[in-house]
Amino acid sequence: MKQIVLFGAPAAGKGTLAGKIKKILPQIPHISTGDILRENKKNETPLGLKAKEYMDSGKLVPDELVIDMVEDRLKRDDVKNYGYLLDGFPRTLSQAEKLEEIAPAEVVLVLDVPRQELLNRVLGRISCPECNAIYNKFSIPPKKEGICDICGAKLVHRSDDTEETMNKRIDTYEENAGPVIRFYEEKGLVKHVDGTRTMHLTEKEIKSFLEIV
Ligand SMILES: [Zn+2]
């Protein structure tokens, strides 16, 4: 049983880290606000229908509505029995304060990745349309520029992001997450994880982050 909150910029590798945590705590529910929103919309719950109105008119779903949906989710038995791995929540201080009331976080993992590395990860993504091989211009380049090593097809870009949109996404993350991370830092709950080596983190390292002995 562990109540974990995960923070990381776009492309920081939250999915990879979450996967590694799930290997150690297989029953922990991985809860993301995106999934909760989709589920509520799909099941046409009263909250989901309200959220849909906002989204359809191109507006952000208000804080209180997100909180209500997450609160709903956190009341289920799997959370009571196994804790949670929260991703994308809390995004604001009022959400963090609410979470303290419902089911307080025990560990807050912050994936640190330098901005240039995030940009490289997203802007460098290229793939083969023929055999689906994936490359990165900066970190895993093909032997011959723009050509697939395996089948010789011409490689294509995988991201719609430009440097500008990616920088904006990172700025938004920093603006939102900054105060919330400080809130948890004051409580002594934050563990910084080197996101440049998430793939290589050992089970032992992750257990020590999570204070599981
Ligand atoms: Zn190929």
Side-chain angles (χ1 to χ4, degrees):
M1 162 99 190
K2 210 73 189 175
Q3 303 188 155
I4 309 162
V5 174
L6 205 54
F7 281 99
K14 278 192 297 177
T16 307
L17 182 59
K20 287 185 166 248
I21 292 171
K22 286 219 64 150
K23 273 194 189 150
I24 296 165
L25 300 166
Q27 282 160 313
I28 197 169
H30 182 191
I31 302 173
S32 86
T33 14
D35 289 344
I36 293 181
L37 259 174
R38 273 187 291 277
E39 197 187 304
N40 275 280
K41 270 173 68 189
K42 195 175 132 234
N43 298 335
E44 300 189 326
T45 66
L47 293 172
L49 291 173
K50 255 196 226 167
K52 193 174 177 300
E53 275 176 40
Y54 286 97
M55 292 161 92
D56 286 348
S57 56
K59 288 186 196 137
L60 274 177
V61 180
D63 231 25
E64 310 84 68
L65 198 52
V66 176
I67 291 172
D68 286 346
M69 278 190 253
V70 173
E71 187 169 7
D72 238 33
R73 178 65 189 85
L74 293 177
K75 280 180 180 156
R76 284 193 217 157
D77 283 345
D78 58 350
V79 173
K80 287 195 184 115
N81 294 330
Y82 306 111
Y84 58 70
L85 176 56
L86 261 179
D87 178 348
F89 188 94
R91 192 158 276 173
T92 62
L93 278 177
S94 60
Q95 290 180 356
E97 277 154 10
K98 190 69 198 183
L99 185 63
E100 285 294 295
E101 288 169 29
I102 315 168
E106 296 170 309
V107 185
V108 175
L109 296 179
V110 178
L111 264 176
D112 293 320
V113 180
R115 181 177 289 247
Q116 192 55 52
E117 164 84 15
L118 295 171
L119 290 171
N120 288 353
R121 283 184 189 178
V122 171
L123 304 176
R125 267 180 212 161
I126 37 180
S127 67
C128 176
E130 297 296 327
C131 73
N132 300 317
I134 293 167
Y135 303 86
N136 186 294
K137 275 200 287 188
F138 308 104
S139 52
I140 351 163
K143 290 194 185 84
K144 205 172 151 200
E145 199 189 324
I147 302 294
C148 179
D149 289 349
I150 300 161
C151 72
K154 210 167 167 243
L155 298 172
V156 292
H157 263 279
R158 279 190 77 211
S159 170
D160 295 330
D161 279 312
T162 61
E163 187 163 349
E164 194 192 347
T165 57
M166 189 57 195
N167 268 317
K168 268 193 198 144
R169 290 174 65 207
I170 301 170
D171 289 343
T172 306
Y173 163 75
E174 285 176 351
E175 280 160 28
N176 290 331
V180 186
I181 293 171
R182 278 192 293 281
F183 169 87
Y184 285 122
E185 254 161 6
E186 279 162 24
K187 294 183 180 292
L189 299 178
V190 173
K191 297 271 161 65
H192 287 272
V193 181
D194 180 356
T196 60
R197 48 180 300 272
T198 318
M199 298 280 280
H200 309 287
L201 286 175
T202 63
E203 192 177 314
K204 204 176 146 199
E205 283 171 306
I206 295 171
K207 280 185 173 169
S208 81
F209 289 134
L210 299 178
E211 295 171 325
I212 298 172
V213 276

